[in-house]
Amino acid sequence: MSGVLVHIALFLLMGTAIVTLGTFYSDADDGRARQAWPRRMLGFFGGCLVLVVVMLVCEHTFASLG
Amino acid sequence: MALDPKPARRGDPTVAALLTWFLPGAGHAYLGQFGLGLALFALVDGLFFLGLQLSNGMTFEFLDPELRSPFAPVLSPEIGNLGGMLWQMRNHGFGPGIVRPFPEAIVFGSMLAALSGVLNGLAMCHAHTLARASSVQVAHRVLLPTAAGFVVPGLGHLMQGRRARGLVVFALLMSCFVLGTLLAEGSNLSRERHFYYWAGQFGIGLPGMLAELAFGKLRVTSDIPYVDGGLVFGCVAGMLNLLALIDVYGWSESQELGLPLKSSEPESPAPAASKVEIRL
């Protein structure tokens, strides 16, 4: 379990870095970047959550050895 | 920063950048700056050939035999100095095909050759700006913060007066790089072990080079549990710094050359012009 938590913590840090730098790259203006950042964070982590659910469903159906 | 008063085209910016890519300084010579071109040639290719000398041209022999192909070195920082990289591939390539000991100074030599690629990338940006700027000083002012961002992540933003952004860039990228190095127990600093991860990580700049010189020769004596995570963290930190450098360059360019700032948000519509009634 602790391994999963470590992976989640590492993913959150990496995701935050990717989204923040992506926002800076897209919006040169600080005000606009600050406005866009929460929406981008939500989109990134929400998308990742959907992907995790899809992969878990696939794992327990198509790829299930049982 | 003052706006460039007389933006003028000295030549085609794309041609200037491409010429520099093939031969450092050639783009500046094309734009009439022969002295600067010669100095850049001496600096970039001097570093490259010094690195080649120290490494005995064996850097690409770090690649595993199954990864060796004519395009394999394209994903290395040396690609920034295309002429030099082609010269190295032609004269040294992947070696004679037998396993042989690497020279003592190969870590430093390989780093210098990679650094010449990054410097030539900056020279390409300088040439591209110079082609559109009224003076060399304007191009210098555009490039200086970008180069500073390679020395220390976030420093370029600080030089532009964007303190909050610079501090966020520094904190995020350095924490990713340091955490990656800790997770990989320093093995991420070895180009010999992780050729392509190292290439991405090289974008973090001077901190990465100093860490490699200090800890790049650590021996791996046992299994490293989070080595994959560490490699990804280091590599992504370096590549994200390249995005930060593009942001710095774009900001300087817009300030100095009067170009519009990059934004993902649509511009708000301009207020409708007031109607003017003309009565005769």
Side-chain angles (χ1 to χ4, degrees):
Chain A
M1 188 61 189
S2 66
V4 174
L5 292 179
V6 169
H7 277 85
I8 290 174
L10 291 176
F11 177 71
L12 287 177
L13 175 61
M14 176 62 71
T16 304
I18 290 172
V19 172
T20 307
L21 267 294
T23 309
F24 286 170
Y25 174 75
S26 302
D27 282 294
D29 178 63
D30 278 352
R32 287 187 171 200
R34 208 175 296 130
Q35 276 181 348
W37 187 76
R39 184 169 40 80
R40 283 171 166 265
M41 286 286 278
L42 200 65
F44 181 82
F45 286 110
C48 289
L49 194 65
V50 170
L51 188 64
V52 166
V53 171
V54 169
M55 287 179 72
L56 283 175
V57 168
C58 288
E59 185 188 342
H60 289 279
T61 52
F62 307 120
S64 173
L65 293 177
Chain B
M1 271 183 269
L3 198 66
D4 194 3
K6 292 176 189 170
R9 263 170 92 99
R10 297 157 180 264
D12 190 319
T14 309
V15 171
L18 286 176
L19 282 173
T20 307
W21 192 28
F22 283 100
L23 185 68
H28 291 81
Y30 161 70
L31 297 171
Q33 296 292 325
F34 294 98
L36 188 56
L38 202 61
L40 280 171
F41 175 78
L43 176 68
V44 174
D45 269 348
L47 271 181
F48 181 78
F49 283 103
L50 178 62
L52 215 59
Q53 188 69 27
L54 290 173
S55 63
N56 200 17
M58 292 173 70
T59 298
F60 297 148
E61 290 179 48
F62 285 156
L63 278 167
D64 293 331
E66 63 268 24
L67 291 176
R68 295 176 184 180
S69 76
F71 295 103
V74 166
L75 289 177
S76 61
E78 282 92 337
I79 190 68
N81 183 1
L82 184 63
M85 199 192 79
L86 291 176
W87 195 93
Q88 182 178 356
M89 279 300 287
R90 184 181 161 83
N91 290 283
H92 298 280
F94 300 110
I98 53 166
V99 179
R100 51 185 182 151
F102 291 120
E104 194 66 26
I106 192 166
V107 170
F108 189 55
S110 164
M111 195 186 293
L112 289 184
L115 183 62
S116 84
V118 175
L119 287 182
N120 202 40
L122 291 170
M124 286 168 68
C125 294
H126 190 274
H128 197 275
T129 308
L130 183 60
R132 294 167 293 149
S134 61
S135 68
V136 184
Q137 283 71 29
V138 171
H140 287 351
R141 285 202 299 269
V142 170
L143 198 76
L144 197 61
T146 315
F150 184 73
V151 175
V152 178
L155 183 60
H157 293 94
L158 288 176
M159 286 175 68
Q160 293 173 329
R162 303 154 90 195
R163 290 190 184 84
R165 191 174 281 233
L167 291 174
V168 170
V169 168
F170 178 80
L172 277 176
L173 297 189
M174 286 308 292
S175 60
C176 282
F177 173 66
V178 171
L179 184 61
T181 303
L182 292 174
L183 287 173
E185 296 180 14
S187 64
N188 59 318
L189 301 170
S190 166
R191 191 176 194 184
E192 182 184 352
R193 281 200 189 91
H194 306 291
F195 188 85
Y196 288 122
Y197 282 110
W198 184 94
Q201 185 179 271
F202 196 70
I204 199 73
L206 189 63
M209 288 188 268
L210 294 178
E212 186 180 352
L213 289 175
F215 308 111
K217 287 185 175 174
L218 289 179
R219 287 190 171 194
V220 177
T221 53
S222 62
D223 188 39
I224 303 171
Y226 285 102
V227 64
D228 292 338
L231 292 173
V232 170
F233 264 79
C235 182
V236 170
M239 293 200 296
L240 287 178
N241 195 36
L242 298 183
L243 276 191
L245 294 186
I246 295 173
D247 174 42
V248 171
Y249 179 73
W251 175 274
S252 290
E253 204 178 36
S254 74
Q255 297 295 301
E256 296 289 346
L257 302 181
L259 300 176
L261 276 175
K262 191 174 184 182
S263 174
S264 62
E265 302 289 325
E267 288 289 329
S268 55
S274 57
K275 288 181 183 173
V276 178
E277 267 186 50
I278 301 174
R279 293 186 180 188
L280 297 175

